[in-house]
Amino acid sequence: MAGLLLLPPLLLLPPLLLLLLRTLHIWPRLRWLAADLAFAVRVLRCNRALRARALAAAAADPRGPEGGCSLAWRLAQLARQRPAHVFLIHGARRFSYAEAERQSNRAARAFLRARGWDAGPGGGGEERAGAAAPLAPGATVALLLPACPEFLWLWFGLAKAGLRAAFVPAALRRGPLLHCLRSCGARALVLAPELLESLEPDLPALRAMGLHLWAAGPETRLAGISDVLAEASAEADEPVPGYLSAPQSVMDTCLYIFTSGTTGLPKAARISHLKILQCQGFYQLCGAHQEDVIYLALPLYHMSGSLLGIVGCLGIGATVVLKSKFSAGQFWDDCQQHGVTVFQYIGELCRYLVNQPPSQAERGHKVRLVVGSGLRPDTWERFVRRFGPLQVLETYGLTEGNVATFNYTGQPGAVGRASWLYKHVFPFSLIRYDVTTGEPVRDTQGHCVATSPGEPGLLVAPVSQQSPFLGYAGGPELDRGKLLKDVFRPGDVFFNTGDLLVCDDQGFLRFHDRTGDTFRWKGENVATTEVAEALESLDFVQEVNVYGVTVPGHEGRAGMAALVLRPPHSLDLEQLYSHVSENLPPYAWPRFLRLQESLATTETFKQQKVRMTKEGFNPSALSDPLYVLDRAGGAYLPLTPARYSALLAGDLRI
């Protein structure tokens, strides 16, 4: 009887304890701690799997296909374990893992023939002594191709042949193209036939560089350019010996990926075999599995498309739907047709989707996880509300960087957590940064100063054997500014991401701004992201690009916002002024507005801030409608040539 009387109070203990924890604000912290622990377990499992693959590749017979680099070894393993499973869908074409292995073997043999390597009658292979081969072992071959299956077969084939691929952005021409090819030391170039017409003026310079030129298709009849796909199709599809691609060290460079070049000419970031192996764990860390179907509409010359999208897919043995170009209008139809479960985004792709009119295809989809970077909080909420239920996993990382973050808690607007557990596995710090000097703040002893919660800081990460920085091809001077020394103690070395982040008092990390994008005005730091988020909350604004422009007679840079209106709305200058004055400090109010039909972006969907800054705000030089802030009148007014002259003369106060 006593036991029965005690039962109701015992049943009440769990809800009473939960109520107490919530009252003391401990419950959210326990939830986050549980998420931290769960992610740590996922990291341990991922590391164990990657370590096992590395050891298996090292222990394999070097004469067999399993003895090669981690990329070649993993593809051969999947072709053996899941031969019929669909690896790649591109339009109406489908390729299994076994077919991907065969296609890349043919490509490898074609490149090996150009290397002077002969399979011989037994297929074992040997270097042809004295042969005049266009490619030496370890040479770099540049790929100038759209996102397509042939890009992958050639990339994998180069890896198997012991050659380095360089992924050249497809839009580059003339000087920037030649700069990229020289900086990575390319000895050959494979280009898409459809690009030949626009590249014809560059062909004499390319030939003068001594490049061996291939086209990825038969549509060319230009002298000196052969069809690499035809050469590959004539080769056998048996595996090549693994020793051809096996690195001497996991730190060896196996690939070059170019930075976006938004602040100058692109730089060739060195990608190591270690990074390729680490990227195989990306989707496992995100919670994806081998039965997932991943939608990838990102350029393969970008790290997000190639290393995270393709190599990450290989890591879990899943299926990838590859699109040569993203189409917001076609997206949900594609998802329905192929049973897409995971979508990898970058930049503004999610914004493009929420700005589309509703369609029948967006209902009843199977997408459960969207993974990527650059998703702004307002778009995040609209995306989940319209297309959910689904999980958004925002990440942060750089092509050449040695630090990454994952928002595994799903906290809207965050890019990750700075928990002790996470920083123990992926160490990093936020340090104070002086926007005026463009340098970290140092104390009297010359060491950097860690930020306080809520204070923007420069994200840095210690350089070590586990998290190295390999730098850029082309000379050590290119690495200048990316490495900080004596950060917290004499002799230490940290990688400088060039990004400002904020860690709040609950440990959540939020992206604040690029160091080059934040500007000073009226003695205050203005974060372009903060201003953009305020303007985006207006119902008539669809897209915003905020940047700083130089105004003669004024110190620092004045804020300028390029706006795209949401159809069918029109610009309401009175509401806009009222909104910014209520939601932003006076120094952050945009001094200039520029109305555009669409925002200028790079091919990786990053906003063109540098170009917009250079174009300035002269109404005689720009055809777009321009507006200027009249502080005295408390309004935005059309920026006419007369007002522009008054501004330069100091008669118009902004």
Side-chain angles (χ1 to χ4, degrees):
M1 180 65 72
L4 290 175
L5 290 174
L6 284 172
L7 191 57
L10 288 175
L11 289 175
L12 288 173
L13 272 178
L16 286 174
L17 182 60
L18 185 60
L19 179 62
L20 178 62
L21 291 174
R22 284 177 172 167
T23 304
L24 297 176
H25 304 289
I26 298 175
W27 175 247
R29 295 182 183 276
L30 288 178
R31 273 196 303 123
W32 299 327
L33 177 60
D36 294 337
L37 290 170
F39 188 77
V41 170
R42 190 180 292 173
V43 170
L44 290 173
R45 289 175 176 170
C46 181
N47 283 345
R48 186 171 59 190
L50 295 180
R51 184 182 296 273
R53 289 176 196 171
L55 292 174
D61 180 1
R63 305 292 298 185
E66 293 84 3
C69 65
S70 63
L71 185 63
W73 184 91
R74 179 58 176 164
L75 183 57
Q77 182 190 47
L78 288 168
R80 199 169 56 248
Q81 294 178 349
R82 320 190 78 201
H85 189 81
V86 176
F87 161 55
L88 182 68
I89 300 173
H90 184 259
R93 297 192 291 171
R94 289 172 169 256
F95 301 90
S96 66
Y97 274 104
E99 180 63 16
E101 170 74 353
R102 290 192 293 269
Q103 293 280 7
S104 59
N105 287 340
R106 292 189 184 100
R109 289 177 177 273
F111 287 126
L112 284 168
R113 195 171 294 279
R115 223 188 85 168
W117 185 90
D118 191 355
E126 59 182 12
E127 302 287 344
R128 293 196 301 270
L135 299 177
T140 298
V141 178
L143 301 181
L144 188 62
L145 301 169
C148 60
E150 289 71 27
F151 186 114
L152 301 185
W153 314 149
L154 296 174
W155 168 22
F156 298 163
L158 287 169
K160 292 180 177 186
L163 300 168
R164 296 172 179 173
F167 298 163
V168 181
L172 293 186
R173 300 292 185 274
R174 315 300 179 262
L177 171 62
L178 300 178
H179 160 81
C180 287
L181 296 173
R182 289 192 186 101
S183 67
C184 68
R187 303 303 306 155
L189 171 65
V190 182
L191 47 89
E194 62 267 27
L195 302 180
L196 274 171
E197 184 177 350
S198 63
L199 282 167
E200 196 162 354
D202 295 318
L203 291 179
L206 295 175
R207 291 191 173 104
M209 289 174 61
L211 291 176
H212 185 86
L213 299 179
W214 276 297
E219 291 83 0
T220 175
R221 292 176 177 82
L222 294 176
I225 302 180
S226 53
D227 179 3
V228 69
L229 298 183
E231 294 177 13
S233 65
E235 299 287 346
D237 62 8
E238 286 96 15
V240 299
Y243 72 85
L244 292 166
S245 64
Q248 292 187 351
S249 167
V250 292
M251 298 300 181
D252 289 350
T253 301
C254 67
L255 176 67
Y256 295 106
I257 294 182
F258 290 88
T259 61
S260 58
T262 52
T263 57
L265 288 171
K267 293 189 287 187
R270 300 179 185 272
I271 306 300
S272 67
H273 288 274
L274 175 63
K275 188 145 192 167
I276 293 287
L277 183 63
Q278 291 171 336
C279 287
Q280 289 183 33
F282 174 72
Y283 267 116
Q284 184 175 346
L285 292 178
C286 293
H289 50 74
Q290 64 179 6
E291 298 307 320
D292 273 318
V293 178
I294 301 167
Y295 193 91
L296 186 65
L298 305 177
L300 293 180
Y301 58 75
H302 192 274
M303 175 191 174
S304 295
S306 53
L307 299 191
L308 301 185
I310 296 299
V311 176
C313 177
L314 288 173
I316 57 175
T319 298
V320 61
V321 177
L322 181 65
K323 299 288 288 187
S324 298
K325 189 175 181 180
F326 179 76
S327 168
Q330 186 66 32
F331 175 78
W332 291 113
D333 289 317
D334 288 341
C335 290
Q336 295 281 6
Q337 178 183 353
H338 301 298
V340 171
T341 56
V342 179
F343 166 46
Q344 186 179 338
Y345 64 84
I346 190 173
E348 300 296 289
L349 298 192
C350 293
R351 182 180 298 279
Y352 297 158
L353 290 173
V354 297
N355 287 334
Q356 285 288 301
S359 69
Q360 186 63 36
E362 72 186 52
R363 301 183 180 91
H365 62 79
K366 296 180 180 179
V367 178
R368 62 175 182 84
L369 174 66
V370 294
V371 180
S373 58
L375 184 57
R376 290 180 175 172
D378 67 308
T379 305
W380 185 319
E381 294 173 6
R382 292 171 60 199
F383 191 90
V384 173
R385 186 167 59 247
R386 177 171 169 181
F387 304 123
L390 46 75
Q391 178 190 358
V392 175
L393 204 162
E394 176 82 356
T395 65
Y396 169 88
L398 297 173
T399 302
E400 69 274 41
N402 66 343
V403 60
T405 64
F406 294 78
N407 183 6
Y408 49 83
T409 63
Q411 184 78 358
V415 298
R417 260 178 64 73
S419 68
W420 173 88
L421 202 56
Y422 189 92
K423 293 178 72 174
H424 181 72
V425 180
F426 304 106
F428 64 86
S429 298
L430 296 181
I431 59 176
R432 289 180 177 169
Y433 179 81
D434 189 331
V435 175
T436 305
T437 63
E439 297 289 339
V441 175
R442 294 183 181 263
D443 60 21
T444 54
Q445 295 181 317
H447 297 150
C448 296
V449 182
T451 59
S452 303
E455 179 185 4
L458 179 66
L459 177 64
V460 296
V463 175
S464 66
Q465 189 173 2
Q466 291 74 33
S467 54
F469 169 66
L470 296 186
Y472 309 97
E477 69 278 0
L478 297 175
D479 301 342
R480 194 173 297 124
K482 300 307 292 183
L483 293 177
L484 300 174
K485 298 181 179 179
D486 305 326
V487 174
F488 293 118
R489 59 181 61 88
D492 65 13
V493 179
F494 278 66
F495 173 72
N496 174 9
T497 65
D499 288 328
L500 301 174
L501 274 68
V502 175
C503 181
D504 62 24
D505 57 0
Q506 297 170 340
F508 289 104
L509 291 165
R510 286 176 169 79
F511 183 83
H512 186 70
D513 219 351
R514 289 286 297 168
T515 52
D517 293 342
T518 292
F519 55 88
R520 298 271 293 178
W521 179 253
K522 303 295 184 183
E524 300 284 353
N525 296 337
V526 181
T528 59
T529 51
E530 178 186 4
V531 179
E533 287 173 11
L535 293 173
E536 284 166 351
S537 63
L538 289 162
D539 59 0
F540 56 82
V541 174
Q542 180 166 294
E543 294 182 81
V544 182
N545 185 5
V546 178
Y547 47 96
V549 292
T550 302
V551 182
H554 292 74
E555 292 186 3
R557 289 189 289 159
M560 186 165 183
L563 308 175
V564 175
L565 299 180
R566 188 188 309 280
H569 296 278
S570 58
L571 180 63
D572 188 333
L573 291 173
E574 185 176 342
Q575 183 184 352
L576 192 150
Y577 177 83
S578 175
H579 182 77
V580 298
S581 61
E582 291 173 3
N583 292 276
L584 292 171
Y587 62 82
W589 299 354
R591 266 51 189 178
F592 303 97
L593 305 175
R594 179 176 176 178
L595 213 57
Q596 294 191 293
E597 293 294 326
S598 61
L599 295 184
T601 61
T602 67
E603 287 199 346
T604 52
F605 310 102
K606 294 179 180 178
Q607 293 180 342
Q608 290 274 23
K609 293 182 184 288
V610 174
R611 182 181 122 190
M612 300 292 284
T613 298
K614 290 180 179 178
E615 291 179 356
F617 54 92
N618 186 348
S620 300
L622 298 173
S623 59
D624 296 328
L626 300 173
Y627 302 88
V628 62
L629 174 67
D630 179 7
R631 287 291 302 276
Y636 283 101
L637 305 174
L639 181 54
T640 61
R643 287 197 176 101
Y644 179 76
S645 299
L647 175 62
L648 297 186
D651 298 330
L652 179 61
R653 178 169 170 256
I654 60 171

